[in-house]
Amino acid sequence: MTEKNGSDEQAANGWFTEPEGVRLQKVLAAAGVASRRVVEQYIVEGRIEVNGIVVTELGRRIDPEHDLVAVDGVAVQLDPGKRYYMLNKPRGVVSSMRDEKGRPDLREFTDELEERVYNVGRLDGDTSGLLLLTNDGDLAHVLAHPSFGVEKTYIAKVQGRVSPQTLQKLKQGIELEDGPIKVDRAKIRQHQGDDRHSIVELTLHSGRNRIVRRMMAEVGHPVVELVRRSFGPLHLGTLRIGVMRELTDSERGLLLTISREADAARGRNDAASGSSGDSADDRAAADSAGADSADEGES
């Protein structure tokens, strides 16, 4: 009895306290990475990083709200409130959460969600394909900002027979009214039998308004139909047009890895220049506000 009272007195006087944080294996199991037993094996094998440092001790505790965790180099989202969706946007739907002109907008797909999400970047009304929706402001900022170089791949049906020389010209760069632009990669997917149309695949990281349509018109091949097939590491795959789904754990991890690497690079640049940079809240607010405008599009 005396020993117990002594321990109570020690605790009351702050001589020892319970360890802070939550055990790493418990956090990752809750995040759906694997069972606690499997996560423990990952830790022993040195496959888990916390804030960029490999963890090998099983007793490690973390703060899920602030610590950044990665497994095999892929980031893990520990915030259960963050949501990420992929939509195969149909033609005729504008990339806005609220269209002031009364046109069909993204609420058709998001009204039943419990969380408020917003689109990352835009596709114009005549373009279909991959659109990402999320409530993660940091991620949205990185993916939508052209300075971070996130690639998008489009499949375009265009007028006329596109030659290899035309694709080379697009790779080398052309001049538009708002400045020079070039694609990162380009290839001919198919020529139509009557030579009236061609199907080309273009990959670029620019986010300028209707950039694919303007580029193809400039080289003499106006776009007839346009689909965005990929956005960063995300691919439409077999997702049907007009259907939305949550990202898989793997897809979400790849996006978060891009975001964290960009944040780390931005932090190094800010430190070198003496700038404090934008806060996460500022970026989230700006992205959320920008997503409600349907007058600008990426394609």
Side-chain angles (χ1 to χ4, degrees):
M1 180 68 70
T2 301
E3 182 178 353
K4 179 179 180 181
N5 289 340
S7 297
D8 291 342
E9 183 180 354
Q10 288 176 344
N13 285 281
W15 295 355
F16 68 84
T17 59
E18 288 294 321
E20 294 183 357
V22 185
R23 285 187 179 273
L24 180 57
Q25 54 264 47
K26 180 178 180 180
V27 173
L28 291 182
V33 172
S35 68
R36 292 193 193 186
R37 185 179 298 274
V38 173
V39 171
E40 288 175 354
Q41 185 62 34
Y42 289 172
I43 294 173
V44 172
E45 294 171 353
R47 297 171 59 182
I48 298 178
E49 297 178 4
V50 176
N51 300 325
I53 300 174
V54 175
V55 174
T56 56
E57 63 271 17
L58 293 177
R60 177 62 183 271
R61 292 174 178 266
I62 67 169
D63 178 354
E65 293 187 5
H66 297 96
D67 290 327
L68 302 179
V69 179
V71 178
D72 293 333
V74 178
V76 178
Q77 177 57 270
L78 303 181
D79 184 348
K82 293 294 191 296
R83 290 289 182 270
Y84 309 84
Y85 298 91
M86 178 193 299
L87 169 67
N88 189 344
K89 187 190 82 67
R91 294 176 64 183
V93 174
V94 296
S95 296
S96 172
M97 304 311 298
R98 185 182 300 103
D99 184 60
E100 296 179 353
K101 299 178 181 178
R103 296 170 295 183
D105 56 37
L106 298 175
R107 287 177 295 176
E108 173 184 347
F109 308 97
T110 63
D111 273 351
E112 295 183 0
L113 299 179
E114 294 182 2
E115 312 84 3
R116 180 181 185 269
V117 297
Y118 44 92
N119 47 297
V120 179
R122 304 168 182 87
L123 293 174
D124 65 54
D126 292 331
T127 300
S128 63
L130 199 160
L131 192 63
L132 177 66
L133 298 103
T134 183
N135 58 359
D136 187 335
D138 280 337
L139 180 74
H141 175 74
V142 169
L143 295 181
H145 203 290
S147 67
F148 295 112
V150 178
E151 290 186 340
K152 301 105 174 174
T153 296
Y154 299 85
I155 305 297
K157 180 179 180 180
V158 301
Q159 295 180 13
R161 187 177 182 88
V162 177
S163 68
Q165 292 76 17
T166 297
L167 295 189
Q168 187 60 32
K169 184 176 181 181
L170 292 171
K171 294 176 186 177
Q172 293 174 344
I174 59 176
E175 189 74 28
L176 299 178
E177 65 273 14
D178 54 353
I181 186 68
K182 63 180 179 179
V183 301
D184 299 315
R185 295 184 297 280
K187 63 181 180 180
I188 299 170
R189 294 281 295 262
Q190 178 182 337
H191 284 304
Q192 302 297 298
D194 57 7
D195 284 347
R196 289 190 302 171
H197 298 99
S198 301
I199 297 177
V200 296
E201 178 180 311
L202 305 173
T203 300
L204 66 165
H205 59 269
S206 171
R208 289 196 223 168
N209 183 33
R210 298 175 66 86
I211 189 61
V212 174
R213 294 177 184 277
R214 292 194 289 131
M215 291 182 73
M216 295 310 299
E218 180 66 23
V219 295
H221 297 283
V223 170
V224 177
E225 296 179 18
L226 187 62
V227 180
R228 182 159 71 186
R229 293 293 305 175
S230 70
F231 184 89
L234 303 181
H235 300 270
L236 271 183
T238 59
L239 186 66
R240 299 191 309 276
I241 193 163
V243 175
M244 185 172 73
R245 67 166 175 83
E246 281 203 77
L247 299 190
T248 64
D249 291 343
S250 176
E251 291 169 334
R252 186 171 64 243
L254 292 172
L255 288 181
L256 290 170
T257 300
I258 292 174
S259 178
R260 291 180 186 178
E261 290 175 348
D263 277 339
R266 182 168 51 229
R268 291 191 295 269
N269 293 336
D270 289 344
S273 64
S275 171
S276 60
D278 296 333
S279 70
D281 289 340
D282 288 342
R283 292 194 300 272
D287 291 326
S288 179
D292 284 338
S293 171
D295 294 332
E296 299 180 359
E298 289 192 317
S299 53

